[in-house]
Amino acid sequence: MAIPTLLKQYREEIVPVLKDKLGRANVHSLPQIEKVVISMGIGSASQDRKRLVEVADHMTLLAGQKAQITRARKSVAGFKLREGQEIGCRVTLRGTRMYEFLERLISLALPRVRDFRGVNPKAFDGAGNYSLGLNEQMVFLEIDPDSVHYTQGMNIAIVTSAANNEEGFLLLKEFGMPFRK
């Protein structure tokens, strides 16, 4: 199996830069990306099962592995939601699939977003993990625009082993994440 180019870049180019900037000699103490979680919440899926199936199929295409359908944990009368009702889907990516998805996200999908000026550099959670949202799934080349009946947004969470936001920012900046100025 071929090594993803982003993983090769991390090992050959990013690790020496991180060692220098963070002043650490041990490679294992440097921050790295642990997993990427892609999720979609479909509010109207409780009434329309076809919409949930279509969105799960699109997510499966994007991730390269089957999307898991999520269910409501408890009932909320204000949202007409019942416990156990299907309300969305998610995929957790690790290893080579994670690096391949990140490469497609950074180099192909984000530049295709309309009026794109960069991602928010303040979307870190305090522990070095980064979250971003996309308004539609059609920015990815894998999805055929003719097969999309419902445009759907998605959340992407990049979980890192960074100790704080500064290390997480430095790591993602070296990977080429297009942060806003």
Side-chain angles (χ1 to χ4, degrees):
M1 190 153 92
I3 297 175
T5 54
L6 209 57
L7 178 58
K8 191 182 290 186
Q9 178 186 353
Y10 174 74
R11 290 178 179 163
E12 296 171 0
E13 300 170 17
I14 297 174
V15 166
V17 171
L18 289 176
K19 274 184 174 180
D20 185 45
K21 288 187 177 178
L22 296 175
R24 298 182 191 156
N26 188 352
V27 176
H28 299 290
S29 69
L30 297 174
Q32 63 185 12
I33 298 175
E34 293 177 344
K35 65 182 175 181
V36 173
V37 180
I38 312 163
S39 61
M40 290 182 179
I42 301 109
S44 62
S46 57
Q47 285 80 30
D48 190 5
R49 173 93 174 125
K50 290 185 286 186
R51 187 170 189 160
L52 181 66
V53 171
E54 179 184 320
V55 168
D57 289 343
H58 288 163
M59 188 178 286
T60 300
L61 267 176
L62 288 179
Q65 69 186 41
K66 188 162 173 30
Q68 177 186 15
I69 300 215
T70 55
R71 298 179 178 274
R73 291 186 194 145
K74 59 184 181 179
S75 300
V76 180
F79 296 123
K80 297 181 182 172
L81 189 64
R82 300 289 162 254
E83 185 177 343
Q85 198 171 12
E86 297 174 335
I87 56 169
C89 56
R90 71 169 179 220
V91 173
T92 302
L93 300 173
R94 291 183 174 88
T96 56
R97 283 194 184 127
M98 171 186 71
Y99 284 106
E100 289 167 356
F101 175 79
L102 277 175
E103 187 174 355
R104 285 183 284 130
L105 175 72
I106 292 169
S107 62
L108 298 174
L110 288 178
R112 287 184 53 156
V113 173
R114 186 177 302 149
D115 297 332
F116 183 70
R117 291 184 182 89
V119 294
N120 187 1
K122 296 180 181 175
F124 286 92
D125 68 348
N129 305 317
Y130 187 76
S131 297
L132 73 125
L134 296 175
N135 291 332
E136 59 182 27
Q137 74 270 36
M138 291 189 299
V139 294
F140 288 94
L141 296 172
E142 293 86 5
I143 297 178
D144 179 27
D146 296 333
S147 72
V148 176
H149 297 96
Y150 310 101
T151 56
Q152 182 66 41
M154 69 178 72
N155 301 316
I156 301 169
I158 302 170
V159 179
T160 67
S161 63
N164 53 39
N165 290 347
E166 290 76 27
E167 288 181 11
F169 178 80
L170 183 63
L171 175 68
L172 293 180
K173 186 74 173 164
E174 291 300 320
F175 270 113
M177 184 68 81
F179 288 108
R180 231 180 279 148
K181 301 285 186 271

